[in-house]
Amino acid sequence: MQTLQIELSELELSSSIDGDYILIKKGTGIREDREDSEQLEYTHLLSNTSKGESIRVYLITVLPLAVRKPISTNANELVYVLSGSPTYTLKGNEVTLNQGDLLFFDGTVAHGISNKFNEPAVLLKVYLLH
């Protein structure tokens, strides 16, 4: 099991609300390379901290035939499938998702992800940091 041991402040990804809302336009996210997820493409869309709680939002592309070993995070995680059929491994159980499915889980529990198909899977992922 691997744990991401990075403080949110180290990522320099914070956003603040200037006015009534935050708008992130298509194509304006920041691409992140991650050693623990080489077959996944992370595009950072938003980070915000309010009242001691933090949120990070990503668009993730799981490349065809990708397999990422289980890791854990310090967040609850919400995954919404925009396209494709990724499979999460949670506590030894395989959970295959399809377009429109939503998965919510405790990220402190080691979890893996794979894409058994020849087409990429695209996810909207929200980390709710403890």
Side-chain angles (χ1 to χ4, degrees):
M1 170 181 15
Q2 289 182 314
T3 303
L4 299 177
Q5 297 187 5
I6 296 174
E7 293 295 323
L8 183 61
S9 59
E10 292 178 48
L11 297 176
E12 299 180 31
L13 300 172
S14 61
S15 298
S16 61
I17 298 176
D18 184 22
D20 296 329
Y21 59 88
I22 296 173
L23 172 64
I24 310 297
K25 297 294 271 183
K26 181 179 179 180
T28 59
I30 299 169
R31 176 81 186 274
E32 290 182 10
D33 293 321
R34 297 187 177 192
E35 289 180 20
D36 65 346
S37 302
E38 292 178 1
Q39 297 175 314
L40 282 69
E41 297 175 353
Y42 282 76
T43 302
H44 175 259
L45 300 176
L46 170 73
S47 288
N48 201 350
T49 301
S50 176
K51 300 177 185 173
E53 295 181 352
S54 295
I55 184 173
R56 291 188 300 195
V57 181
Y58 289 87
L59 188 64
I60 300 174
T61 301
V62 185
L63 299 178
L65 308 175
V67 176
R68 189 199 64 203
K69 292 188 267 184
I71 62 170
S72 61
T73 64
N74 63 338
N76 287 326
E77 299 186 25
L78 183 139
V79 177
Y80 181 78
V81 181
L82 298 170
S83 65
S85 295
T87 298
Y88 269 85
T89 304
L90 301 159
K91 292 188 173 182
N93 296 313
E94 285 195 353
V95 180
T96 299
L97 306 172
N98 295 300
Q99 183 177 0
D101 289 350
L102 185 137
L103 176 66
F104 182 72
F105 60 93
D106 179 353
T108 63
V109 174
H111 52 281
I113 187 169
S114 62
N115 180 359
K116 300 175 183 180
F117 301 97
N118 290 319
E119 297 294 324
V122 181
L123 318 171
L124 180 68
K125 189 163 193 177
V126 178
Y127 294 91
L128 303 164
L129 285 87
H130 304 286

